[in-house]
Amino acid sequence: MQSEPLSFMGHARDRHRAGPIAGNGGLHLLFPAGDRSVRRALSASVAAFHDMGVDRDGCDFAELVLAEVLNNVVEHAFTDRGHGIIELEAWRAGNALSLRIRDDGMPMPGERLPAAQRHDLTVETHELPEGGFGWGIIHDLTRDLTYRRDGARNELTFAIDFTEFDAST
Amino acid sequence: MELGIRDTGDTRVVHVGEARIDAAVAIQFKDQMRDLIVGGPDRVILDLSAVTFVDSSGLGAIVAAMKQAVGPQQLELAGLTRSVAKVFALTRMDRVFTIHDSVDAVLAGPANAE
């Protein structure tokens, strides 16, 4: 899974070194920033999480969180040059999934982690928010959420506990 | 994107024929829904029973569709799968929409008794 589908990227991947978990039962993906490649990465990730023994609820939440994180990168990190590469690593640590997402795009505003927006949903229908749900979802479903600007790269790390969700559903 | 339409009396059922309403199709979905709502019947039921994944972009597009229903018009949801229901609960959007178990439950309900 690591290299065959990526030959089209040429030397782009040489700038990204695989983390310690690649080839060690973990997941390591490199893919271009785009809606369709995000879909493929999510599909591959969910299959890998399932193989790691993550339960159905854990897979659902992990897919949702990853979708929000990756969509955010696609929409905001490469608005200057219009293309870029995303690196995703995931591994299981006990009953948690650890994830690290890196990209070589523009930094987050202020080089800080965006806060969750909490919307007032009691407003009239025409005033309801049509966006801004993403970081709320990410904050709510993860722990140890950390953003770091590392040279020319963004790095987001977090964990998702997948046993807690059983009790709440 | 594949949207199936069925009109019954004053109710239009829109069946989403794709598994995902996500960032890749959100704008397209929003545009197609607008065409189905504006000038359409008073009651529009969005049947999500075939949808297994909605992200925040898809959720935003569904909210945008609801906002197209004006005056006597209403957009309601039906058939949320387990994973989609979770997204609505997480964002508390389950309190904003009228959500039915299934399209059959809607069409058998009192609003369509006549």
Side-chain angles (χ1 to χ4, degrees), chain A residues 35-36 39 42-43 56-58 60-61 63-64 67-68 71 75 118-121 125-134 137 140-141 166 169, chain B residues 18 20-25 28 30 52-57 59-61 63-67 69 82-83 86-87 90-93 95-97:
Chain A
D35 289 339
R36 298 288 164 173
R39 268 193 179 186
L42 290 175
S43 175
R56 183 176 154 187
D57 284 338
D60 285 348
F61 283 124
E63 180 176 17
L64 180 61
E68 301 305 334
N71 288 342
E75 284 171 31
R118 302 298 176 189
H119 300 287
D120 177 7
L121 300 181
T125 298
H126 69 273
E127 293 174 349
L128 284 171
E130 294 177 29
F133 307 111
I137 290 171
D140 286 350
L141 293 180
D166 275 333
T169 53
Chain B
E18 294 187 29
R20 302 176 77 86
I21 307 178
D22 62 11
V25 296
Q28 193 188 357
K30 191 163 88 173
T52 55
F53 184 80
V54 170
D55 64 11
S56 65
S57 305
L59 184 67
V63 173
M66 182 174 69
K67 290 158 87 167
R82 180 180 158 114
S83 48
K86 282 181 207 161
V87 178
L90 260 177
T91 54
R92 296 177 294 131
M93 278 293 169
R95 303 178 198 176
V96 170
F97 285 91

Side-chain angles (χ1 to χ4, degrees), chain B residues 11 15 47 49 56 105 109 111:
Chain B
T11 301
H15 175 81
D47 177 8
S49 58
S56 65

